[in-house]
Amino acid sequence: MDSARNTRLLRRRLQRSTGRALVVRTAAVALFDAMGVYALVSFAGNGTLSVAALMAFALALVNWAYLSPRTQGARWLTPGLVLMAFFVVYPVLYTSYVSLTNWQTGNILTKDQAIEQLEQRRVRTGESGESGDLIVYRNGADDLVLLVVGETVEAFAGVPRSSDDEPGAATAAFAVPADFEPEAPPEEIEGYELLSGLGVTAVAGRLQDLELDLPDGRSVVVETLTSFRVTTGGKRFAYDPATDTMFDAQQGRRCAAGTGTFYCDDVPETDVARIAIIAKDSTIRCSGGICDRVPLFALDPSLTGWRDLIGFDNYIDLAQEERIRSPFLRVLIWNIAFAVGSVLLTFAVGLGLAMLMQREEMRFRGFYRSIFIIPYAVPGFLSILVWRGLLSTEFGKVNELLNAFGLPDVAWLSGNYQAMAAVLLVNTWLGFPYMFLISSGALTSIPTELIEAARVDGAGPFRRFREVVLPLLLVSTAPLLIGAFAFNFNNFLLIFLLTGGGPPLAGYDVPVGSTDLLISFTFGLAQSSGRGQQFGLASAIIVVIFLVLAITSALSFRLTKKLEEIYDR
Amino acid sequence: MTAEHQSPPVHDAGLLRDAPLAPRRLPRDTPPLQRLTLWLRRSAWRHTLALLACFFSLFPIVWIVSASFNSVDNLTASRLIPSDLTLDNFVEAFTDDVSPVGRWMWNSFYLAVTSAALNVVVAAWGAYAFSRIKFRGRRTLLTSLLVMQIFPQFLGFVAFFVLAQEFGDVWAPIGLNTHLFLIVVYLGGAAGFNAFLLKGFLDSIPTSLDEAAKIDGASSWIIFSRIIMPLARPMLAVIFMISFVAIFGEFILASFLLKGEEQLTLPVGLQVFLADGYNAKWGVLAATALVGSAPVVAVFLFAQKHIIAGLTGGAVKG
């Protein structure tokens, strides 16, 4: 039979293609392994163990899924799972981790990086007499030579080195004319030509990073474009890994590593920044003019610390510290009000229009429907910007429209309550088409017999709506409404583009505006503010947002289940 | 939430016509005057409200169109019908050196097309597994995907910097400030949602088809590529279009992860027109807005019904 032969042929072809697939698959896995292991080594080498662990997981998953003969679903799911692990799960976990750290300006680096940076610091002499005149020369190859002279420094010309390099014996000293006067420096030193004032300005960026070693063992660094400062050349800090302590040569003290930085004992109170002593979370204990447990940054704010786990301190700050708690609470309340208000307004408008359009013999329904969808089709980032222009107080078209009806101007974007109204107005415009669409869909699914039965029983239109239509409508739309709530709860785009969170509120320590949502407020904290970038605190707020959303969705699971039980009989 | 809620709940809007809430059309022999009064009583208020809603809908759109053709460079002094129609704004938008709008638009376009296409592939594999293969932990995995879905991806921005840094160390083209990194971020973010959307559709394809193929010795790859995917083509197109629209307009992640004029996408780049508050170039912005929304509005009108079905399935506005 022909068909039997065909089946056999087909089967053979299928089997052959399976064999070929195995070869291709193995080769692909091998390639992925090669790249993955290379990346893994790089991640681990950088000390980012979390990313390395993630990569290890990805490698394990891929090898298991494609080489083990028994896996079925995993083969299809692995690409998506790996992508989600990296770009959905990892960010959530990482944010939770950051929320438990002191990651902020001054504590950005890892401990190793911070120690490395501290060990580059030089002992500072700070004596005013130890400076003098600096004159810059340059040759055709763009190499620089510095000529220095000062009260305690004899005239000396030499090739500078980068400030990152170890100070060494002075390289290539040049002969300086004996009758040398700083006011009239020689025009040329051994092929290097004197740079004019403008010429020096042009190389200012390079000068900053240069040091020149003097024959007597001292070094000079560039202070201004025409003056230098002497450093004694020694390194200020030396780290001892065995005891995990840092020796401060400038003060002759050994400081022990603690949370986020090194802590020094027996420091004269006059050396410690006042603000660091009185800070709420200060570790400093002073008695009799001598302080213990002084963190390095209290001695000099430019001495960097590292990011370190600090437990739940960020959360405690959110709950207790007034300067953070009061703006946080304010933003939280407005955020909930905004999300609920947005859902109610858009749903009311959308449902109203859907019911309006439901009457089947109404003319132009298709036309109306397409018009209603337009706000949804225009990309949000464009329409929000346009609304911002339309809502301008002085020239905006919205106020022009109000004036035409004899109403006064409204300061849409600069008044606190007006801005809240503006945000809701624009969000209603953005969101009602969606609600219109889902309500239209849901209305058609309501059995008309039910409504007719209510009508026959003498229920008026409002009663029919409240007791028959609305409950049935909510069954199918509740999950979508909750989804809309979650979306609006984090409607960063709207706030960022329309008001930027503003108008700013006075009287708070942290930057906060009257229309700020938690997420835009957080964004402000993570970017810079007066107190620097506060990633730790920002992440704590993000975790709070996660929790709110998780609770909301848990409730929604329950609610939909319940509604289904009630109405799905 | 169960699969039923994620699969498209919205049907052809034309079904609305079958809702007999009110009496049918008037008899043919109704006198004109009675017709008019009845219409006024029954329908006039509906049309009034509908027209008001149209006004609300179109209000900003009309001004975008007007400002883009107006020689006065703002949204303010201009009149609705500009006294001197001009194309200068369009010309300026695409020729100005400071703001390479054409470049941004291309960036947005190819980012959206690439990511959307890859999204479809990843989602198709995931959906196929969830719909057709019985494996241990399937329910748990499905639920966790849904739970992860409620966390807006951009909240993890600190982690993206770390990842970009590390990836860039290994291979520069996928580091910070690269389109490739943005693409994989979009891929990861949309994988769960799209797979879920598609799973609902695949569940509606009868399993007898693949069982028949299996009896003939077809591997699951053959079933997937020769049987299921061709049948799922309409839904694949929907996922492609939804992803395209969402990524074309995506602002937040792109603004975090891209720096440098040449790299920007349209939403991020457009901010330069507003950088200087009082001298904001509204005319140019409006012209750009008009051209920039064209692809999206076109996609929307082209596949209105399908996109809406997909979007309302997941309650997400891109």
Side-chain angles (χ1 to χ4, degrees), chain A residues 46 48 87 356 359-360 365 368 373 376 385 395 397 429 434 438 444 455 480 519 523 557 564, chain B residues 1 5 16-17 21 24 42 46-47 56 76 78 153 155 166 169 256 274 282 304 312 315 317:
Chain A
N46 286 348
T48 344
F87 300 108
L356 208 61
R359 198 179 158 93
E360 49 112 20
R365 281 202 323 177
Y368 288 137
I373 295 175
Y376 199 57
L385 290 180
F395 313 108
K397 291 297 163 192
W429 185 85
Y434 173 67
I438 62 171
T444 57
R455 193 212 291 268
L480 300 179
I519 180 62
F523 193 57
F557 278 106
E564 272 166 12
Chain B
M1 250 184 286
H5 289 115
L16 286 175
R17 293 192 189 110
L21 273 180
R24 299 271 168 205
R42 275 194 197 158
R46 285 176 185 268
H47 285 282
F56 182 53
T76 57
S78 56
Q153 200 190 9
L155 288 182
E166 291 301 318
D169 263 8
F256 286 167
L274 297 165
W282 283 107
Q304 196 176 342
T312 48
K317 157 99 164 133

Side-chain angles (χ1 to χ4, degrees), chain A residues 382-399 412-413 497-498, chain B residues 59 63 74-76 274 280 282 285:
Chain A
L382 289 170
S383 44
I384 295 170
L385 290 180
V386 170
W387 269 108
R388 189 161 105 186
L390 295 174
L391 287 169
S392 150
T393 307
E394 274 178 75
F395 313 108
K397 291 297 163 192
V398 174
N399 275 345
W412 286 111
L413 300 178
L497 292 184
L498 191 64
Chain B
F59 185 70
W63 286 107
N74 53 31
L75 271 181
T76 57
L274 297 165
W282 283 107
L285 176 75

